Amino acid sequence: AQKVTQAQTEISVVEKEDVTLDCVYETRDTTYYLFWYKQPPSGELVFLIRRNSFDEQNEISGRYSWNFQKSTSSFNFTITASQVVDSAVYFCALRGVIQGAQKLVFGQGTRLTINP
Amino acid sequence: DTEVTQTPKHLVMGMTNKKSLKCEQHMGHRAMYWYKQKAKKPPELMFVYSYEKLSINESVPSRFSPECPNSSLLNLHLHALQPEDSALYLCASSPRPGQGAYEQYFGPGTRLTVT
């Protein structure tokens, strides 16, 4: 079975603080793909990053960084110097192939609030 | 251009009405998806179309009827819905179904209220 756990339901920080969103996954696949999506209040899910299981390099994109650790089955997301516009629900997801089609297994999401 | 469009943005319908949701993408993607999202929950997969053919139906009630007229369009026909069907309906697309690490691109959703 494939499962994604985001233990932090809600996080609230003051602007300019750094914040880390945790994601732990379970899969028996040897090749798998992990994703992070952002859902602002407008509702649209915005793709942030994809990570392949065979590439354990961490990635940085501006104020965003991702730490992928296969040994602990974690794919954590850090926002540095947070801004009010970062307020959103963030979903971690694991890709599985069922009946020949790609299916995303989502975590429950973490609601991040950045206060001015 | 990584845009998926959905219309309408909001829809209020009675339990006896028939309505349709529309989704469109012009990225040449060959996999399209319908998701349902209730408040404070992650999206739940409803249907997957691969190369314009229905490949996954996640045991969705027949009052929801998907249709994929061509590779750019995806519709969701609604009939005799229940109040518990009120939710945000999201459409997504990805370049290829099956193999490959392709992310899904989501539309802004249709917020549906059934009265």
Side-chain angles (χ1 to χ4, degrees):
Chain A
Q2 311 212 12
K3 185 179 178 182
V4 176
T5 301
Q6 294 179 256
Q8 304 150 308
T9 305
E10 295 192 26
I11 299 175
S12 180
V13 301
V14 176
E15 200 172 19
K16 297 184 184 176
E17 285 187 22
D18 298 347
V19 58
T20 296
L21 309 182
D22 297 332
C23 173
V24 175
Y25 62 92
E26 296 175 30
T27 181
R28 293 179 182 170
D29 294 344
T30 53
T31 299
Y32 52 90
Y33 304 90
L34 296 161
F35 302 84
W36 275 95
Y37 283 88
K38 173 184 180 180
Q39 188 172 39
S42 58
E44 178 176 356
L45 269 82
V46 178
F47 165 72
L48 296 177
I49 191 172
R50 178 191 73 224
R51 173 58 69 220
N52 308 332
S53 58
F54 45 85
D55 180 4
E56 288 197 68
Q57 277 192 330
N58 292 325
E59 181 152 343
I60 298 174
S61 176
R63 296 183 297 107
Y64 294 173
S65 61
W66 291 268
N67 183 359
F68 176 39
Q69 299 217 346
K70 285 180 76 170
S71 59
T72 55
S73 297
S74 66
F75 185 39
N76 297 336
F77 173 30
T78 297
I79 302 175
T80 303
S82 59
Q83 299 177 2
V84 172
V85 293
D86 296 327
S87 297
V89 179
Y90 290 85
F91 290 100
C92 180
L94 172 67
R95 192 207 72 151
V97 177
I98 298 175
Q99 296 173 27
Q102 184 193 134
K103 178 178 177 178
L104 284 179
V105 177
F106 286 93
Q108 290 298 304
T110 297
R111 181 174 300 276
L112 177 63
T113 302
I114 309 298
N115 299 298
Chain B
D1 182 11
T2 56
E3 188 179 15
V4 177
T5 59
Q6 289 187 245
T7 55
K9 286 189 176 182
H10 301 274
L11 178 63
V12 179
M13 60 185 290
M15 289 190 283
T16 58
N17 291 160
K18 283 186 180 181
K19 295 287 185 183
S20 296
L21 310 184
K22 180 180 173 182
C23 172
E24 195 163 4
Q25 56 87 13
H26 295 287
M27 296 178 278
H29 290 179
R30 303 308 300 275
M32 296 186 77
Y33 311 79
W34 279 115
Y35 288 85
K36 172 183 178 180
Q37 186 179 23
K38 302 283 276 185
K40 299 190 176 184
K41 294 290 186 182
E44 298 175 23
L45 183 65
M46 300 174 71
F47 303 103
V48 180
Y49 272 83
S50 301
Y51 299 102
E52 296 90 69
K53 288 186 171 19
L54 183 65
S55 61
I56 291 182
N57 176 343
E58 294 280 67
S59 302
V60 178
S62 59
R63 57 185 184 269
F64 295 91
S65 175
E67 178 196 21
C68 190
N70 59 56
S71 60
S72 300
L73 279 175
L74 186 65
N75 298 320
L76 186 62
H77 303 298
L78 314 172
H79 173 54
L81 295 192
Q82 304 296 310
E84 59 265 28
D85 296 321
S86 298
L88 179 67
Y89 288 84
L90 292 161
C91 173
S93 70
S94 63
R96 294 288 183 272
Q99 298 304 313
Y102 298 113
E103 50 271 18
Q104 294 181 20
Y105 293 92
F106 286 79
T110 294
R111 201 165 293 278
L112 173 68
T113 303
V114 181
T115 60

